[in-house]
Amino acid sequence: MIIGITTTLNESDNFQRVNVEYINRVAETGATPILITPVSKGAEANRALAHEVIGLVDGLLLTGGGDIHPKCYMNITMDHVRETLHPEVAEAQAAQETPYGRARRASDNASDCVHCPVDDAIRNAVDNIATEDERVILDGREVTASGGQNKIPCLDGLLAVSDARDALELELARLAFDRDVPTLGVCRGMQVLNVALGGTLYRDLRVCGITQMQHMQEKPYANAEERASVVPGTKLASILEGHQRGLINSIHHQGVNLLAAPLEVNAWGEDGIVEGVEAPNKPFFMGVQWHPEYLENHAPLFQALTDACA
């Protein structure tokens, strides 16, 4: 079995890299890991690359890393906010339909970002995200962060935004879903699954007013410092067996907002954020917001991916 693993650009030296933990976890299952990297010829070239790659692999592992550019889901976010504020014109300004259906709130108590205006201010801000040459360490890699120059507060702090990576991974996720290619998304990878199928993200969980918990823990990442509840009856619950409530690690500042139509939540954080998703009607299409590659007792997730490929 061949499992493709996506990479992150380490911007300090212009190398594409992936944490060795991902590679080791896949290899331990008996599968053969190969690395999938974007190319520098633009978004369309990377979407074309996705169509080539999907035929070469038996499964996909979409790894953690930088943030998906907000323009990939902003239209759906804005239409949803307009509907919420002006239900009387909901029919005329219906939230965008996608080939996969209409995104929805993940829970009854979910809320919108406190900084999300419904006019063109946020669209203009998204199209002109201000960045500085500020380097930060993200999951062991040195990446570029935005430098606090944006008019919309939740656009500050975006990490390692890459149009090339977005185009490649979003297209890979859609192709994998359509073709039943077993797929596991980790952290950013889970967010890719949601956005690819028409969902949206909170651009910064704390700045958006969704939670006050700090989800960016320091090393060592093998320390599990947060609690999550796995939903009984889900594929995730069957894979992790008795771990319906357990400790996880956390290295992220964004999270799922509107949930893509084909997905269901399979794990919740203690602060109510989505910690895992899966497509119940697919053999194996799953994402987790934490980093199981560092956690020995979560190795069964990678074995389940390989088993699904067989």
Side-chain angles (χ1 to χ4, degrees):
M1 296 295 119
I2 297 176
I3 294 180
I5 305 174
T6 56
T7 63
T8 295
L9 177 65
N10 198 71
E11 290 167 296
S12 65
D13 57 16
N14 211 34
F15 274 70
Q16 288 284 345
R17 293 182 176 174
V18 67
N19 289 351
V20 70
E21 286 83 3
Y22 291 115
I23 298 171
N24 290 342
R25 290 295 183 196
V26 168
E28 288 166 1
T29 69
T32 300
I34 65 170
L35 302 187
I36 303 173
T37 69
V39 294
S40 59
K41 297 181 180 180
E44 193 57 42
N46 279 282
R47 283 188 283 269
L49 176 62
H51 284 259
E52 296 293 331
V53 167
I54 201 68
L56 303 176
V57 300
D58 300 297
L60 282 175
L61 175 55
L62 302 175
T63 64
D67 297 328
I68 302 168
H69 198 298
K71 68 185 178 184
C72 296
Y73 53 86
M74 187 51 58
N75 287 341
I76 294 174
T77 297
M78 291 179 65
D79 288 346
H80 167 78
V81 173
R82 287 194 184 100
E83 278 195 3
T84 302
L85 294 178
H86 305 288
E88 70 280 2
V89 294
E91 185 175 350
Q93 296 182 336
Q96 280 191 307
E97 287 287 345
T98 74
Y100 303 100
R102 184 186 178 111
R104 64 197 188 281
R105 288 188 181 277
S107 66
D108 292 339
N109 59 356
S111 60
D112 295 310
C113 172
V114 296
H115 299 293
C116 189
V118 294
D119 55 24
D120 285 336
I122 194 165
R123 194 191 306 278
N124 293 335
V126 164
D127 289 340
N128 299 281
I129 291 175
T131 60
E132 292 181 355
D133 191 23
E134 176 185 353
R135 305 303 172 101
V136 300
I137 300 298
L138 175 66
D139 192 16
R141 289 155 294 192
E142 190 170 355
V143 301
T144 300
S146 58
Q149 304 298 312
N150 299 290
K151 295 180 180 180
I152 309 299
C154 58
L155 292 177
D156 283 330
L158 292 175
L159 299 171
V161 173
S162 167
D163 287 342
R165 185 178 184 186
D166 288 348
L168 174 63
E169 294 187 1
L170 290 170
E171 191 72 2
L172 278 172
R174 285 187 283 264
L175 290 169
F177 182 86
D178 292 342
R179 302 184 185 188
D180 289 343
V181 176
T183 300
L184 175 62
V186 171
C187 198
R188 168 196 160 92
M190 184 190 89
Q191 297 167 9
V192 167
L193 301 185
N194 189 54
V195 172
L197 302 184
T200 72
L201 304 177
Y202 294 117
R203 294 167 296 283
D204 190 295
L205 289 166
R206 297 183 75 184
V207 178
C208 287
I210 308 306
T211 180
Q212 291 305 306
M213 282 187 64
Q214 174 59 264
H215 287 278
M216 291 285 283
Q217 76 177 59
E218 301 293 330
K219 290 183 177 180
Y221 301 133
N223 288 348
E225 300 176 352
E226 293 186 19
R227 289 198 171 274
S229 297
V230 177
V231 177
T234 59
K235 288 186 176 72
L236 179 63
S238 66
I239 293 168
L240 295 182
E241 296 178 342
H243 299 277
Q244 272 76 20
R245 183 170 180 82
L247 290 172
I248 60 173
N249 51 14
S250 191
I251 318 169
H252 67 101
H253 73 112
Q254 297 194 325
V256 169
N257 180 2
L258 297 181
L259 187 65
L263 300 179
E264 298 290 345
V265 177
N266 60 20
W268 295 97
E270 58 184 329
D271 57 351
I273 71 163
V274 175
E275 287 285 357
V277 298
E278 62 185 53
N281 297 322
K282 292 294 179 178
F284 191 96
F285 194 86
M286 181 181 299
V288 294
Q289 188 61 73
W290 66 92
H291 282 262
E293 71 274 16
Y294 293 110
L295 304 177
E296 190 64 37
N297 62 335
H298 288 188
L301 273 171
F302 300 92
Q303 189 62 59
L305 173 62
T306 294
D307 292 346
C309 294

